[in-house]
Amino acid sequence: MERNPFLDVAPEVQAALTAGKPVVALESTIISHGMPYPQNVQTALQVEAEVRAHGAVPATIAIANGRLKAGLSTQEIETLGQAGRSVVKVSRRDIPFVLASKALGATTVASTMIVAHMAGIRLFATGGIGGVHRGAETSFDVSADLQELAKTPVAVVCAGAKSILDLRLTLEYLETHGVAVVGYQTDALPAFFTRESDFKVDYRLDTPAAIAQVLSTKWSAGLAGGMVIANPIPQAYAMPKAAIDAAIEQALAEAQAQGIGGKESTPFLLARVCEITGGDSLASNIQLVLNNARLAAAVGLSLSQC
Ligand code: PSU
Ligand code: MN
C-alpha cells in the first residue's frame, strides 16, 4: 500500500508490522481528555507496557507537527498528558485542520482507527467508544466513532460504552451500519464501569483465537469496517451500579444546564463523572483499559497466525 505522505510510523512499530508481528493501536484522547494528569500519563505508559508484556507492540496514536503519528515517545505522551484538555480533540472532521496548523492533536476512537489503518494496524485497545448520546433524537449527537467503525477495518477492544450514552440506540445504529458487537466471554453488553447492561451483545466469543478467526474471515471476505470487541471490566474493579448511575445522571443534568454540546459533550461528561465519583471511577477506568490491552494483544497474536 502506498504510504500516506503525512504518516510517521515509529521504527519499532514498523519493524513489527514488516515482520508480521502483532501491533495494538492506542488512542490519545483518553490521555488528554479521558483522565486527569498525572494518572493519564502513568496509565498510558502502563498500557503500553501491558501490550508488550503480552507479546505485541503498542502504537499510541496522535497528531503533532503536521504529522500523523503511529507510535509516540514517552516524552510525547508526557506532553499530551500535561496539556490535557487544552490539546485539540481530533475526530475525522478535524484531521486536516490540525495537520495544516501543525498543532498538537489527540485522536479519538474514530481518528485513531483512521491512522491505524493507514499504518496497517488492525487492532486497537481503549476504554470506551463514543456512541449515540441520550437525547440524540433532539440533539443529533452521535459520535463519529460509529461511522468509522462502519467503514474502517480496525477492531476496537473496549469495555462497552458508558451509560452517559443511550446504549440501546448505540446498538441500533451499529446494527444499521453493519458493525457487530462481540461480547468476550459474555452475553451482556458491558457498560464500562459495570460488567453488564440491560442489553445483549450480537455475538459471544470466548477465546482470542475465535475473535481473530472472525476478524480474519470478515476482512478476507472483503467486508468493510471494523468490529466492537466488548470486554467486561474485571469483577474486582467493577463499580456499584447505583453509585455510577447517580454520578452519570448528575453529570448529564449539569451538561444540559450549562448548554454543553458538540465535541465538548463527551469530555465534559467524562471529567464530571470522574470528579463526582472521586478516585473510585478512575481506578476502575485504569484497570479496564489494562484489561483491554491484554485482550487486544492476545487477539493480535492469534490474528498474526491466521
Ligand atoms: N468514552 C470514554 N472515554 C473516552 C472517550 C469516550 O469512556 O476517553 C473519548 C474517546 O476518544 C472517544 C471520544 O472516541 O471520547 C468520543 O467523543 P465524541 O463523543 O465527541 O465522538
Ligand atoms: Mn458528539
Side-chain angles (χ1 to χ4, degrees), residues 74-85:
T74 302
Q75 185 52 52
E76 286 169 320
I77 288 175
E78 176 69 31
T79 303
L80 270 165
Q82 266 189 32
R85 285 170 73 181

Side-chain angles (χ1 to χ4, degrees), residues 27 29-30 33-34 89 91 107-110 127-131 133 141 143-145 162 164 192 262-263 266-267 270:
E27 62 156 305
T29 294
I30 191 174
H33 292 67
K89 173 185 161 198
S91 197
T107 51
T108 61
V109 168
I129 55 168
H133 281 257
D141 192 350
S143 174
D145 293 353
K162 285 198 179 83
I164 57 172
F192 199 89
K263 68 187 284 191
T266 298
L270 296 177

Side-chain angles (χ1 to χ4, degrees), residues 16 46 61 69 100 134 148 167 170 205 216 246 272 292:
Q46 222 185 329
I61 288 175
K69 301 186 75 83
R134 297 207 215 165
E148 209 57 52
L167 299 184
T170 300
L205 295 173
S216 162
R272 284 303 291 144
N292 295 340

Side-chain angles (χ1 to χ4, degrees), residues 6 63 65-68 94-103:
F6 291 93
I63 303 181
N65 306 316
R67 309 292 301 166
L68 302 167
D94 313 293
I95 293 174
F97 297 89
V98 175
L99 278 178
S101 68
K102 299 190 161 51

Side-chain angles (χ1 to χ4, degrees), residues 45-65:
L45 297 175
Q46 222 185 329
V47 170
E48 288 203 338
E50 201 74 0
V51 168
R52 283 203 176 87
H54 289 78
V57 170
T60 303
I61 288 175
I63 303 181
N65 306 316

Side-chain angles (χ1 to χ4, degrees), residues 8-184:
D8 279 346
V9 181
E12 184 197 12
V13 173
Q14 190 54 61
L17 289 167
T18 306
K21 293 193 179 134
V23 176
V24 174
L26 302 164
E27 62 156 305
S28 44
T29 294
I30 191 174
I31 305 174
S32 59
H33 292 67
M35 288 182 195
Y37 182 80
Q39 289 92 341
N40 55 359
V41 172
Q42 287 160 6
T43 304
L45 297 175
Q46 222 185 329
V47 170
E48 288 203 338
E50 201 74 0
V51 168
R52 283 203 176 87
H54 289 78
V57 170
T60 303
I61 288 175
I63 303 181
N65 306 316
R67 309 292 301 166
L68 302 167
K69 301 186 75 83
L72 299 185
S73 66
T74 302
Q75 185 52 52
E76 286 169 320
I77 288 175
E78 176 69 31
T79 303
L80 270 165
Q82 266 189 32
R85 285 170 73 181
S86 69
V87 178
V88 184
K89 173 185 161 198
V90 182
S91 197
R92 171 177 274 275
R93 171 191 69 180
D94 313 293
I95 293 174
F97 297 89
V98 175
L99 278 178
S101 68
K102 299 190 161 51
L104 184 60
T107 51
T108 61
V109 168
S111 52
T112 301
M113 289 176 73
I114 293 170
V115 178
H117 178 52
M118 283 176 186
I121 302 169
R122 297 179 291 181
L123 279 168
F124 166 14
T126 189
I129 55 168
V132 180
H133 281 257
R134 297 207 215 165
E137 58 275 23
T138 49
S139 70
F140 262 54
D141 192 350
V142 178
S143 174
D145 293 353
L146 302 186
Q147 270 302 308
E148 209 57 52
L149 281 159
K151 61 183 159 210
T152 300
V154 173
V156 181
V157 180
C158 63
K162 285 198 179 83
S163 51
I164 57 172
L165 302 172
D166 188 320
L167 299 184
R168 187 177 74 81
L169 295 189
T170 300
L171 289 172
E172 290 290 352
Y173 192 100
L174 289 170
E175 181 192 8
T176 300
H177 292 278
V179 180
V181 179
V182 171
Y184 178 61

